Amino acid sequence: MYQAFEFRQGKLPLLISMPHTGTWLTDAVAAGLTEEALKLQDTDWHMPRLYDFAEAMGASLLMANYSRYVVDLNRPADDQPLYQTATTGLFPDINFDGTPLFRDGLAPSKEEHDRYLEMIWKPYHQQIERELSRLRDEFGYALLFDAHSIRSEVPRLFEGRLPDFNLGTNSGESCAPDMQSALVAACDAQQQFSHVLNGRFKGGYITRCFGRPEQHWHAVQLELAQLNYMSEDYPFGFEADTAQPTQALIQQLLQAMLNWAVGHYRK
């Protein structure tokens, strides 16, 4: 039986989704991965720890249990590409750097993939839908923050070093313009971290699917360069001193979303 995610319900109109923090593997995937792929390099490592302040704030938390090497929860079920540049798919067969994930002939079968879609992908998205609906019913609106991280340098995906904080709003379509402006202002108010809005990462499927400002669902993705809170080298250890200022800015971003929503919906 698949336990697709861990969910903790909060008291604020804010859901934080972590679709790539999972490290569980199915038997079929574990049996087929190369020795290097078993390091799960493309995981969003330590995200629950990085966001450990969020539950105390009152946010709801949704955290994937299964690795993106099983099924990528931030890709559409039909596996249509989200970016024109290099990327990975719903059922990845290559790493971010382009090397194969599976040994020859040992990738999971179509039947396995269909099972992962039904038992892991669908429940995760159904839980987002349920929680955003619940929040909107209670508060009149719902906020979704899709939390991600990635190595700061991945030549196959982008040139040079990635900015520290990469905010994505599907080119302004997934949240209200004033909320987007409030997030940029929070980043502009500090000088430690570089940032960009709708750069290489404009928001994946979750942001694009559930960002429905016309229905009072506002979604934002943060792609965080991992060197701001952890070692990017195996075994990918958490670095608490480095993480502390990073956590502070993330908290400011979440608070900016909440403050905007309170001001907007109480007018």
Side-chain angles (χ1 to χ4, degrees), residues 1-8 16-26 29 40 43-45 47-48 61-73 116 119-121 123-125 127 206:
M1 182 174 180
Y2 295 90
Q3 183 181 342
F5 56 81
E6 179 181 353
F7 175 66
R8 303 174 191 170
I16 299 175
S17 161
M18 303 180 191
H20 292 154
T21 194
T23 57
W24 293 6
L25 300 174
T26 63
V29 171
L40 306 183
T43 301
D44 290 2
W45 291 104
M47 298 300 280
L61 300 177
L62 178 62
M63 298 163 284
N65 285 330
Y66 282 90
S67 170
R68 69 189 303 162
Y69 293 170
V70 176
V71 59
D72 193 328
L73 300 174
Y116 303 158
M119 303 301 293
I120 302 173
W121 190 96
Y124 193 90
H125 291 82
Q127 182 60 37
I206 289 173

mmCIF file of all heavy atoms in Angstrom, residues 1-8 16-26 29 40 43-45 47-48 61-73 116 119-121 123-125 127 206:
data_model
loop_
_atom_site.group_PDB
_atom_site.id
_atom_site.type_symbol
_atom_site.label_atom_id
_atom_site.label_comp_id
_atom_site.label_asym_id
_atom_site.label_seq_id
_atom_site.Cartn_x
_atom_site.Cartn_y
_atom_site.Cartn_z
ATOM 1 N N MET A 1 0.843 -1.200 0.000
ATOM 2 C CA MET A 1 0.000 0.000 0.000
ATOM 3 C C MET A 1 0.879 1.251 0.000
ATOM 4 O O MET A 1 1.876 1.320 0.723
ATOM 5 C CB MET A 1 -0.917 0.001 1.228
ATOM 6 C CG MET A 1 -1.863 1.183 1.298
ATOM 7 S SD MET A 1 -3.036 1.023 2.665
ATOM 8 C CE MET A 1 -3.960 2.531 2.446
ATOM 9 N N TYR A 2 0.525 2.224 -0.816
ATOM 10 C CA TYR A 2 1.309 3.433 -0.954
ATOM 11 C C TYR A 2 0.812 4.508 0.013
ATOM 12 O O TYR A 2 -0.389 4.775 0.095
ATOM 13 C CB TYR A 2 1.205 3.973 -2.379
ATOM 14 C CG TYR A 2 1.797 3.073 -3.427
ATOM 15 C CD1 TYR A 2 1.028 2.098 -4.050
ATOM 16 C CD2 TYR A 2 3.128 3.190 -3.777
ATOM 17 C CE1 TYR A 2 1.578 1.280 -5.021
ATOM 18 C CE2 TYR A 2 3.693 2.370 -4.750
ATOM 19 C CZ TYR A 2 2.901 1.414 -5.362
ATOM 20 O OH TYR A 2 3.450 0.604 -6.313
ATOM 21 N N GLN A 3 1.732 5.115 0.738
ATOM 22 C CA GLN A 3 1.426 6.297 1.539
ATOM 23 C C GLN A 3 2.112 7.453 0.830
ATOM 24 O O GLN A 3 3.299 7.708 1.024
ATOM 25 C CB GLN A 3 1.935 6.140 2.972
ATOM 26 C CG GLN A 3 1.573 7.315 3.872
ATOM 27 C CD GLN A 3 2.108 7.130 5.284
ATOM 28 O OE1 GLN A 3 2.443 6.022 5.691
ATOM 29 N NE2 GLN A 3 2.199 8.219 6.026
ATOM 30 N N ALA A 4 1.364 8.128 0.005
ATOM 31 C CA ALA A 4 1.965 9.056 -0.950
ATOM 32 C C ALA A 4 2.574 10.281 -0.299
ATOM 33 O O ALA A 4 3.521 10.863 -0.832
ATOM 34 C CB ALA A 4 0.921 9.490 -1.983
ATOM 35 N N PHE A 5 2.065 10.692 0.853
ATOM 36 C CA PHE A 5 2.495 11.959 1.429
ATOM 37 C C PHE A 5 2.245 11.986 2.928
ATOM 38 O O PHE A 5 1.524 11.151 3.479
ATOM 39 C CB PHE A 5 1.745 13.130 0.775
ATOM 40 C CG PHE A 5 0.243 13.012 0.861
ATOM 41 C CD1 PHE A 5 -0.448 13.365 2.020
ATOM 42 C CD2 PHE A 5 -0.491 12.538 -0.217
ATOM 43 C CE1 PHE A 5 -1.830 13.251 2.097
ATOM 44 C CE2 PHE A 5 -1.877 12.421 -0.148
ATOM 45 C CZ PHE A 5 -2.547 12.779 1.020
ATOM 46 N N GLU A 6 2.836 12.986 3.551
ATOM 47 C CA GLU A 6 2.518 13.346 4.936
ATOM 48 C C GLU A 6 1.837 14.707 4.903
ATOM 49 O O GLU A 6 2.314 15.620 4.216
ATOM 50 C CB GLU A 6 3.776 13.402 5.790
ATOM 51 C CG GLU A 6 3.511 13.789 7.240
ATOM 52 C CD GLU A 6 4.761 13.865 8.086
ATOM 53 O OE1 GLU A 6 5.851 13.491 7.595
ATOM 54 O OE2 GLU A 6 4.645 14.314 9.250
ATOM 55 N N PHE A 7 0.751 14.843 5.627
ATOM 56 C CA PHE A 7 0.001 16.097 5.647
ATOM 57 C C PHE A 7 -0.242 16.537 7.082
ATOM 58 O O PHE A 7 -0.625 15.726 7.924
ATOM 59 C CB PHE A 7 -1.340 15.944 4.927
ATOM 60 C CG PHE A 7 -2.210 17.177 5.018
ATOM 61 C CD1 PHE A 7 -1.830 18.363 4.405
ATOM 62 C CD2 PHE A 7 -3.401 17.143 5.722
ATOM 63 C CE1 PHE A 7 -2.617 19.501 4.500
ATOM 64 C CE2 PHE A 7 -4.206 18.267 5.809
ATOM 65 C CZ PHE A 7 -3.815 19.452 5.199
ATOM 66 N N ARG A 8 0.012 17.817 7.349
ATOM 67 C CA ARG A 8 -0.256 18.406 8.659
ATOM 68 C C ARG A 8 -1.105 19.651 8.448
ATOM 69 O O ARG A 8 -0.660 20.613 7.828
ATOM 70 C CB ARG A 8 1.043 18.764 9.379
ATOM 71 C CG ARG A 8 1.999 17.586 9.561
ATOM 72 C CD ARG A 8 3.323 18.042 10.137
ATOM 73 N NE ARG A 8 4.326 16.993 10.070
ATOM 74 C CZ ARG A 8 5.620 17.183 10.318
ATOM 75 N NH1 ARG A 8 6.067 18.402 10.634
ATOM 76 N NH2 ARG A 8 6.462 16.171 10.233
ATOM 77 N N ILE A 16 1.807 24.897 2.337
ATOM 78 C CA ILE A 16 3.150 24.757 1.789
ATOM 79 C C ILE A 16 3.286 23.337 1.259
ATOM 80 O O ILE A 16 3.133 22.363 2.002
ATOM 81 C CB ILE A 16 4.229 25.041 2.849
ATOM 82 C CG1 ILE A 16 4.088 26.472 3.368
ATOM 83 C CG2 ILE A 16 5.625 24.823 2.252
ATOM 84 C CD1 ILE A 16 5.031 26.806 4.510
ATOM 85 N N SER A 17 3.554 23.228 -0.027
ATOM 86 C CA SER A 17 3.703 21.945 -0.699
ATOM 87 C C SER A 17 5.186 21.672 -0.949
ATOM 88 O O SER A 17 5.920 22.565 -1.373
ATOM 89 C CB SER A 17 2.939 21.974 -2.029
ATOM 90 O OG SER A 17 3.380 20.975 -2.917
ATOM 91 N N MET A 18 5.617 20.428 -0.674
ATOM 92 C CA MET A 18 6.999 20.017 -0.907
ATOM 93 C C MET A 18 6.989 18.733 -1.737
ATOM 94 O O MET A 18 7.128 17.637 -1.206
ATOM 95 C CB MET A 18 7.720 19.790 0.420
ATOM 96 C CG MET A 18 7.731 20.979 1.347
ATOM 97 S SD MET A 18 8.598 20.614 2.902
ATOM 98 C CE MET A 18 8.145 22.065 3.869
ATOM 99 N N PRO A 19 6.835 18.833 -3.048
ATOM 100 C CA PRO A 19 6.643 17.637 -3.872
ATOM 101 C C PRO A 19 7.900 16.829 -4.165
ATOM 102 O O PRO A 19 7.806 15.695 -4.635
ATOM 103 C CB PRO A 19 6.061 18.204 -5.167
ATOM 104 C CG PRO A 19 6.607 19.591 -5.231
ATOM 105 C CD PRO A 19 6.651 20.072 -3.812
ATOM 106 N N HIS A 20 9.083 17.395 -3.883
ATOM 107 C CA HIS A 20 10.323 16.706 -4.250
ATOM 108 C C HIS A 20 11.202 16.387 -3.049
ATOM 109 O O HIS A 20 12.403 16.137 -3.203
ATOM 110 C CB HIS A 20 11.122 17.549 -5.252
ATOM 111 C CG HIS A 20 10.461 17.672 -6.578
ATOM 112 N ND1 HIS A 20 10.666 18.744 -7.430
ATOM 113 C CD2 HIS A 20 9.591 16.849 -7.225
ATOM 114 C CE1 HIS A 20 9.948 18.579 -8.536
ATOM 115 N NE2 HIS A 20 9.287 17.446 -8.428
ATOM 116 N N THR A 21 10.622 16.381 -1.865
ATOM 117 C CA THR A 21 11.414 16.088 -0.673
ATOM 118 C C THR A 21 11.484 14.597 -0.369
ATOM 119 O O THR A 21 12.259 14.168 0.479
ATOM 120 C CB THR A 21 10.834 16.851 0.532
ATOM 121 O OG1 THR A 21 11.781 16.838 1.598
ATOM 122 C CG2 THR A 21 9.528 16.242 1.010
ATOM 123 N N GLY A 22 10.681 13.783 -1.064
ATOM 124 C CA GLY A 22 10.599 12.357 -0.769
ATOM 125 C C GLY A 22 11.850 11.583 -1.153
ATOM 126 O O GLY A 22 12.537 11.909 -2.121
ATOM 127 N N THR A 23 12.105 10.527 -0.391
ATOM 128 C CA THR A 23 13.259 9.655 -0.660
ATOM 129 C C THR A 23 12.872 8.186 -0.752
ATOM 130 O O THR A 23 13.726 7.336 -0.982
ATOM 131 C CB THR A 23 14.329 9.811 0.438
ATOM 132 O OG1 THR A 23 13.749 9.532 1.715
ATOM 133 C CG2 THR A 23 14.915 11.225 0.442
ATOM 134 N N TRP A 24 11.603 7.864 -0.570
ATOM 135 C CA TRP A 24 11.182 6.470 -0.670
ATOM 136 C C TRP A 24 11.268 6.016 -2.123
ATOM 137 O O TRP A 24 10.990 6.786 -3.055
ATOM 138 C CB TRP A 24 9.745 6.297 -0.190
ATOM 139 C CG TRP A 24 9.528 6.544 1.267
ATOM 140 C CD1 TRP A 24 10.419 7.001 2.193
ATOM 141 C CD2 TRP A 24 8.285 6.371 1.969
ATOM 142 N NE1 TRP A 24 9.813 7.115 3.423
ATOM 143 C CE2 TRP A 24 8.517 6.734 3.325
ATOM 144 C CE3 TRP A 24 7.016 5.947 1.586
ATOM 145 C CZ2 TRP A 24 7.512 6.684 4.280
ATOM 146 C CZ3 TRP A 24 6.009 5.896 2.542
ATOM 147 C CH2 TRP A 24 6.255 6.248 3.879
ATOM 148 N N LEU A 25 11.612 4.742 -2.306
ATOM 149 C CA LEU A 25 11.650 4.121 -3.622
ATOM 150 C C LEU A 25 10.744 2.896 -3.626
ATOM 151 O O LEU A 25 10.631 2.199 -2.619
ATOM 152 C CB LEU A 25 13.075 3.693 -3.971
ATOM 153 C CG LEU A 25 14.141 4.788 -4.021
ATOM 154 C CD1 LEU A 25 15.518 4.169 -4.225
ATOM 155 C CD2 LEU A 25 13.834 5.800 -5.114
ATOM 156 N N THR A 26 10.121 2.639 -4.758
ATOM 157 C CA THR A 26 9.420 1.366 -4.919
ATOM 158 C C THR A 26 10.462 0.282 -5.193
ATOM 159 O O THR A 26 11.605 0.565 -5.559
ATOM 160 C CB THR A 26 8.423 1.428 -6.083
ATOM 161 O OG1 THR A 26 9.155 1.649 -7.291
ATOM 162 C CG2 THR A 26 7.402 2.540 -5.872
ATOM 163 N N VAL A 29 11.823 0.517 -8.813
ATOM 164 C CA VAL A 29 12.753 1.626 -9.039
ATOM 165 C C VAL A 29 14.085 1.352 -8.346
ATOM 166 O O VAL A 29 15.157 1.522 -8.938
ATOM 167 C CB VAL A 29 12.139 2.950 -8.565
ATOM 168 C CG1 VAL A 29 13.181 4.069 -8.595
ATOM 169 C CG2 VAL A 29 10.948 3.329 -9.439
ATOM 170 N N LEU A 40 20.280 9.694 -4.999
ATOM 171 C CA LEU A 40 19.104 10.578 -5.089
ATOM 172 C C LEU A 40 19.521 12.049 -5.147
ATOM 173 O O LEU A 40 18.970 12.907 -4.456
ATOM 174 C CB LEU A 40 18.158 10.332 -3.909
ATOM 175 C CG LEU A 40 17.704 8.885 -3.688
ATOM 176 C CD1 LEU A 40 16.719 8.820 -2.519
ATOM 177 C CD2 LEU A 40 17.084 8.295 -4.943
ATOM 178 N N THR A 43 17.080 15.192 -5.279
ATOM 179 C CA THR A 43 16.095 15.393 -4.216
ATOM 180 C C THR A 43 16.161 16.821 -3.684
ATOM 181 O O THR A 43 17.227 17.434 -3.640
ATOM 182 C CB THR A 43 16.381 14.403 -3.061
ATOM 183 O OG1 THR A 43 16.304 13.072 -3.566
ATOM 184 C CG2 THR A 43 15.395 14.567 -1.917
ATOM 185 N N ASP A 44 15.016 17.349 -3.266
ATOM 186 C CA ASP A 44 14.992 18.634 -2.543
ATOM 187 C C ASP A 44 15.296 18.336 -1.073
ATOM 188 O O ASP A 44 14.401 18.297 -0.222
ATOM 189 C CB ASP A 44 13.624 19.301 -2.679
ATOM 190 C CG ASP A 44 13.354 19.819 -4.076
ATOM 191 O OD1 ASP A 44 14.211 19.633 -4.964
ATOM 192 O OD2 ASP A 44 12.279 20.405 -4.281
ATOM 193 N N TRP A 45 16.564 18.148 -0.794
ATOM 194 C CA TRP A 45 16.986 17.662 0.522
ATOM 195 C C TRP A 45 16.633 18.617 1.649
ATOM 196 O O TRP A 45 16.734 19.836 1.513
ATOM 197 C CB TRP A 45 18.510 17.438 0.528
ATOM 198 C CG TRP A 45 18.947 16.294 -0.322
ATOM 199 C CD1 TRP A 45 19.532 16.354 -1.554
ATOM 200 C CD2 TRP A 45 18.813 14.902 -0.012
ATOM 201 N NE1 TRP A 45 19.779 15.093 -2.034
ATOM 202 C CE2 TRP A 45 19.354 14.178 -1.110
ATOM 203 C CE3 TRP A 45 18.306 14.194 1.080
ATOM 204 C CZ2 TRP A 45 19.396 12.786 -1.138
ATOM 205 C CZ3 TRP A 45 18.343 12.813 1.049
ATOM 206 C CH2 TRP A 45 18.877 12.124 -0.040
ATOM 207 N N MET A 47 14.070 19.775 3.126
ATOM 208 C CA MET A 47 13.060 20.835 3.080
ATOM 209 C C MET A 47 12.194 20.885 4.342
ATOM 210 O O MET A 47 11.929 21.975 4.857
ATOM 211 C CB MET A 47 12.189 20.673 1.827
ATOM 212 C CG MET A 47 12.962 20.792 0.521
ATOM 213 S SD MET A 47 13.771 22.402 0.329
ATOM 214 C CE MET A 47 12.388 23.375 -0.199
ATOM 215 N N PRO A 48 11.720 19.769 4.890
ATOM 216 C CA PRO A 48 10.944 19.872 6.126
ATOM 217 C C PRO A 48 11.727 20.550 7.252
ATOM 218 O O PRO A 48 11.154 21.307 8.044
ATOM 219 C CB PRO A 48 10.612 18.415 6.456
ATOM 220 C CG PRO A 48 10.614 17.728 5.128
ATOM 221 C CD PRO A 48 11.734 18.384 4.375
ATOM 222 N N LEU A 61 1.072 21.826 5.932
ATOM 223 C CA LEU A 61 2.243 21.282 5.253
ATOM 224 C C LEU A 61 1.881 19.998 4.525
ATOM 225 O O LEU A 61 1.226 19.121 5.099
ATOM 226 C CB LEU A 61 3.358 20.986 6.259
ATOM 227 C CG LEU A 61 3.880 22.166 7.077
ATOM 228 C CD1 LEU A 61 4.926 21.684 8.076
ATOM 229 C CD2 LEU A 61 4.465 23.239 6.174
ATOM 230 N N LEU A 62 2.318 19.886 3.285
ATOM 231 C CA LEU A 62 2.118 18.685 2.485
ATOM 232 C C LEU A 62 3.479 18.266 1.939
ATOM 233 O O LEU A 62 4.109 19.013 1.185
ATOM 234 C CB LEU A 62 1.149 18.952 1.336
ATOM 235 C CG LEU A 62 0.871 17.796 0.382
ATOM 236 C CD1 LEU A 62 0.216 16.627 1.113
ATOM 237 C CD2 LEU A 62 -0.018 18.250 -0.771
ATOM 238 N N MET A 63 3.942 17.069 2.342
ATOM 239 C CA MET A 63 5.294 16.626 2.024
ATOM 240 C C MET A 63 5.253 15.262 1.351
ATOM 241 O O MET A 63 4.682 14.311 1.898
ATOM 242 C CB MET A 63 6.129 16.564 3.305
ATOM 243 C CG MET A 63 6.278 17.927 3.973
ATOM 244 S SD MET A 63 6.832 17.833 5.701
ATOM 245 C CE MET A 63 5.309 17.308 6.498
ATOM 246 N N ALA A 64 5.850 15.170 0.176
ATOM 247 C CA ALA A 64 5.879 13.909 -0.561
ATOM 248 C C ALA A 64 6.764 12.899 0.157
ATOM 249 O O ALA A 64 7.800 13.251 0.728
ATOM 250 C CB ALA A 64 6.390 14.145 -1.976
ATOM 251 N N ASN A 65 6.378 11.644 0.101
ATOM 252 C CA ASN A 65 7.189 10.568 0.662
ATOM 253 C C ASN A 65 8.074 9.900 -0.391
ATOM 254 O O ASN A 65 9.181 9.480 -0.087
ATOM 255 C CB ASN A 65 6.304 9.508 1.310
ATOM 256 C CG ASN A 65 5.745 9.956 2.649
ATOM 257 O OD1 ASN A 65 6.373 10.739 3.356
ATOM 258 N ND2 ASN A 65 4.560 9.469 2.993
ATOM 259 N N TYR A 66 7.587 9.803 -1.631
ATOM 260 C CA TYR A 66 8.314 9.074 -2.668
ATOM 261 C C TYR A 66 9.228 9.997 -3.467
ATOM 262 O O TYR A 66 8.906 11.155 -3.733
ATOM 263 C CB TYR A 66 7.342 8.362 -3.612
ATOM 264 C CG TYR A 66 6.779 7.099 -3.017
ATOM 265 C CD1 TYR A 66 5.611 7.132 -2.271
ATOM 266 C CD2 TYR A 66 7.437 5.884 -3.164
ATOM 267 C CE1 TYR A 66 5.090 5.982 -1.686
ATOM 268 C CE2 TYR A 66 6.927 4.726 -2.585
ATOM 269 C CZ TYR A 66 5.763 4.783 -1.854
ATOM 270 O OH TYR A 66 5.257 3.646 -1.273
ATOM 271 N N SER A 67 10.357 9.457 -3.854
ATOM 272 C CA SER A 67 11.327 10.191 -4.655
ATOM 273 C C SER A 67 10.749 10.585 -6.012
ATOM 274 O O SER A 67 9.915 9.876 -6.583
ATOM 275 C CB SER A 67 12.568 9.321 -4.873
ATOM 276 O OG SER A 67 13.432 9.896 -5.837
ATOM 277 N N ARG A 68 11.227 11.693 -6.528
ATOM 278 C CA ARG A 68 10.838 12.115 -7.877
ATOM 279 C C ARG A 68 11.332 11.120 -8.922
ATOM 280 O O ARG A 68 10.872 11.139 -10.067
ATOM 281 C CB ARG A 68 11.392 13.508 -8.177
ATOM 282 C CG ARG A 68 12.903 13.563 -8.326
ATOM 283 C CD ARG A 68 13.432 14.982 -8.411
ATOM 284 N NE ARG A 68 12.826 15.725 -9.492
ATOM 285 C CZ ARG A 68 12.852 17.066 -9.576
ATOM 286 N NH1 ARG A 68 13.442 17.764 -8.633
ATOM 287 N NH2 ARG A 68 12.293 17.677 -10.592
ATOM 288 N N TYR A 69 12.268 10.225 -8.561
ATOM 289 C CA TYR A 69 12.705 9.185 -9.489
ATOM 290 C C TYR A 69 11.645 8.106 -9.664
ATOM 291 O O TYR A 69 11.722 7.317 -10.615
ATOM 292 C CB TYR A 69 14.006 8.554 -9.003
ATOM 293 C CG TYR A 69 15.213 9.469 -9.032
ATOM 294 C CD1 TYR A 69 16.408 9.088 -8.434
ATOM 295 C CD2 TYR A 69 15.177 10.712 -9.651
ATOM 296 C CE1 TYR A 69 17.519 9.913 -8.458
ATOM 297 C CE2 TYR A 69 16.268 11.544 -9.679
ATOM 298 C CZ TYR A 69 17.447 11.147 -9.073
ATOM 299 O OH TYR A 69 18.552 11.961 -9.092
ATOM 300 N N VAL A 70 10.661 8.066 -8.764
ATOM 301 C CA VAL A 70 9.510 7.173 -8.919
ATOM 302 C C VAL A 70 8.480 7.837 -9.819
ATOM 303 O O VAL A 70 8.065 7.295 -10.841
ATOM 304 C CB VAL A 70 8.907 6.807 -7.552
ATOM 305 C CG1 VAL A 70 7.651 5.963 -7.723
ATOM 306 C CG2 VAL A 70 9.930 6.070 -6.688
ATOM 307 N N VAL A 71 8.050 9.012 -9.424
ATOM 308 C CA VAL A 71 7.141 9.824 -10.236
ATOM 309 C C VAL A 71 7.321 11.271 -9.803
ATOM 310 O O VAL A 71 7.436 11.561 -8.610
ATOM 311 C CB VAL A 71 5.670 9.371 -10.094
ATOM 312 C CG1 VAL A 71 5.189 9.437 -8.658
ATOM 313 C CG2 VAL A 71 4.753 10.179 -11.013
ATOM 314 N N ASP A 72 7.363 12.182 -10.761
ATOM 315 C CA ASP A 72 7.586 13.589 -10.461
ATOM 316 C C ASP A 72 6.232 14.280 -10.274
ATOM 317 O O ASP A 72 5.470 14.451 -11.228
ATOM 318 C CB ASP A 72 8.369 14.260 -11.592
ATOM 319 C CG ASP A 72 8.892 15.627 -11.204
ATOM 320 O OD1 ASP A 72 8.217 16.314 -10.405
ATOM 321 O OD2 ASP A 72 9.967 16.014 -11.696
ATOM 322 N N LEU A 73 5.957 14.682 -9.048
ATOM 323 C CA LEU A 73 4.665 15.267 -8.708
ATOM 324 C C LEU A 73 4.490 16.674 -9.260
ATOM 325 O O LEU A 73 3.378 17.205 -9.231
ATOM 326 C CB LEU A 73 4.497 15.290 -7.183
ATOM 327 C CG LEU A 73 4.556 13.930 -6.492
ATOM 328 C CD1 LEU A 73 4.521 14.098 -4.978
ATOM 329 C CD2 LEU A 73 3.410 13.038 -6.957
ATOM 330 N N TYR A 116 2.025 4.082 -10.241
ATOM 331 C CA TYR A 116 2.556 5.249 -9.532
ATOM 332 C C TYR A 116 1.678 6.481 -9.770
ATOM 333 O O TYR A 116 1.469 7.294 -8.866
ATOM 334 C CB TYR A 116 3.982 5.554 -9.994
ATOM 335 C CG TYR A 116 4.961 4.421 -9.842
ATOM 336 C CD1 TYR A 116 6.133 4.389 -10.604
ATOM 337 C CD2 TYR A 116 4.722 3.362 -8.958
ATOM 338 C CE1 TYR A 116 7.037 3.346 -10.480
ATOM 339 C CE2 TYR A 116 5.622 2.310 -8.835
ATOM 340 C CZ TYR A 116 6.766 2.303 -9.601
ATOM 341 O OH TYR A 116 7.666 1.270 -9.492
ATOM 342 N N MET A 119 -1.537 5.811 -7.605
ATOM 343 C CA MET A 119 -1.399 5.636 -6.163
ATOM 344 C C MET A 119 -0.528 6.698 -5.482
ATOM 345 O O MET A 119 -0.574 6.833 -4.262
ATOM 346 C CB MET A 119 -0.814 4.249 -5.865
ATOM 347 C CG MET A 119 -1.624 3.098 -6.446
ATOM 348 S SD MET A 119 -3.337 3.069 -5.845
ATOM 349 C CE MET A 119 -3.065 2.668 -4.125
ATOM 350 N N ILE A 120 0.254 7.455 -6.251
ATOM 351 C CA ILE A 120 1.140 8.466 -5.665
ATOM 352 C C ILE A 120 0.824 9.854 -6.214
ATOM 353 O O ILE A 120 0.564 10.790 -5.452
ATOM 354 C CB ILE A 120 2.624 8.111 -5.925
ATOM 355 C CG1 ILE A 120 2.948 6.734 -5.336
ATOM 356 C CG2 ILE A 120 3.537 9.178 -5.327
ATOM 357 C CD1 ILE A 120 4.336 6.235 -5.696
ATOM 358 N N TRP A 121 0.830 9.994 -7.548
ATOM 359 C CA TRP A 121 0.614 11.305 -8.161
ATOM 360 C C TRP A 121 -0.781 11.842 -7.876
ATOM 361 O O TRP A 121 -0.942 12.968 -7.393
ATOM 362 C CB TRP A 121 0.855 11.200 -9.667
ATOM 363 C CG TRP A 121 0.915 12.510 -10.411
ATOM 364 C CD1 TRP A 121 2.035 13.213 -10.753
ATOM 365 C CD2 TRP A 121 -0.199 13.270 -10.912
ATOM 366 N NE1 TRP A 121 1.702 14.356 -11.433
ATOM 367 C CE2 TRP A 121 0.325 14.420 -11.534
ATOM 368 C CE3 TRP A 121 -1.576 13.093 -10.877
ATOM 369 C CZ2 TRP A 121 -0.480 15.378 -12.135
ATOM 370 C CZ3 TRP A 121 -2.390 14.051 -11.468
ATOM 371 C CH2 TRP A 121 -1.839 15.186 -12.090
ATOM 372 N N PRO A 123 -3.162 11.042 -5.567
ATOM 373 C CA PRO A 123 -3.481 11.408 -4.176
ATOM 374 C C PRO A 123 -2.830 12.713 -3.728
ATOM 375 O O PRO A 123 -3.442 13.479 -2.977
ATOM 376 C CB PRO A 123 -2.953 10.212 -3.368
ATOM 377 C CG PRO A 123 -3.028 9.070 -4.314
ATOM 378 C CD PRO A 123 -2.672 9.651 -5.653
ATOM 379 N N TYR A 124 -1.612 12.973 -4.177
ATOM 380 C CA TYR A 124 -0.945 14.217 -3.785
ATOM 381 C C TYR A 124 -1.713 15.429 -4.313
ATOM 382 O O TYR A 124 -1.987 16.385 -3.572
ATOM 383 C CB TYR A 124 0.487 14.233 -4.319
ATOM 384 C CG TYR A 124 1.350 15.323 -3.721
ATOM 385 C CD1 TYR A 124 2.086 15.096 -2.573
ATOM 386 C CD2 TYR A 124 1.427 16.580 -4.319
ATOM 387 C CE1 TYR A 124 2.873 16.092 -2.012
ATOM 388 C CE2 TYR A 124 2.211 17.580 -3.772
ATOM 389 C CZ TYR A 124 2.938 17.341 -2.621
ATOM 390 O OH TYR A 124 3.712 18.349 -2.071
ATOM 391 N N HIS A 125 -2.095 15.388 -5.576
ATOM 392 C CA HIS A 125 -2.810 16.517 -6.160
ATOM 393 C C HIS A 125 -4.228 16.630 -5.621
ATOM 394 O O HIS A 125 -4.753 17.743 -5.464
ATOM 395 C CB HIS A 125 -2.792 16.390 -7.683
ATOM 396 C CG HIS A 125 -1.427 16.585 -8.250
ATOM 397 N ND1 HIS A 125 -0.489 15.576 -8.279
ATOM 398 C CD2 HIS A 125 -0.807 17.681 -8.761
ATOM 399 C CE1 HIS A 125 0.633 16.039 -8.799
ATOM 400 N NE2 HIS A 125 0.470 17.299 -9.096
ATOM 401 N N GLN A 127 -5.025 15.959 -2.607
ATOM 402 C CA GLN A 127 -4.886 16.573 -1.287
ATOM 403 C C GLN A 127 -4.694 18.087 -1.398
ATOM 404 O O GLN A 127 -5.240 18.846 -0.591
ATOM 405 C CB GLN A 127 -3.713 15.951 -0.528
ATOM 406 C CG GLN A 127 -3.523 16.491 0.885
ATOM 407 C CD GLN A 127 -4.736 16.247 1.763
ATOM 408 O OE1 GLN A 127 -5.383 15.203 1.667
ATOM 409 N NE2 GLN A 127 -5.050 17.208 2.621
ATOM 410 N N ILE A 206 2.368 22.231 -10.474
ATOM 411 C CA ILE A 206 1.546 22.524 -9.303
ATOM 412 C C ILE A 206 1.181 24.003 -9.271
ATOM 413 O O ILE A 206 0.019 24.371 -9.063
ATOM 414 C CB ILE A 206 2.266 22.080 -8.021
ATOM 415 C CG1 ILE A 206 2.293 20.546 -7.945
ATOM 416 C CG2 ILE A 206 1.588 22.657 -6.773
ATOM 417 C CD1 ILE A 206 3.129 19.981 -6.817
#
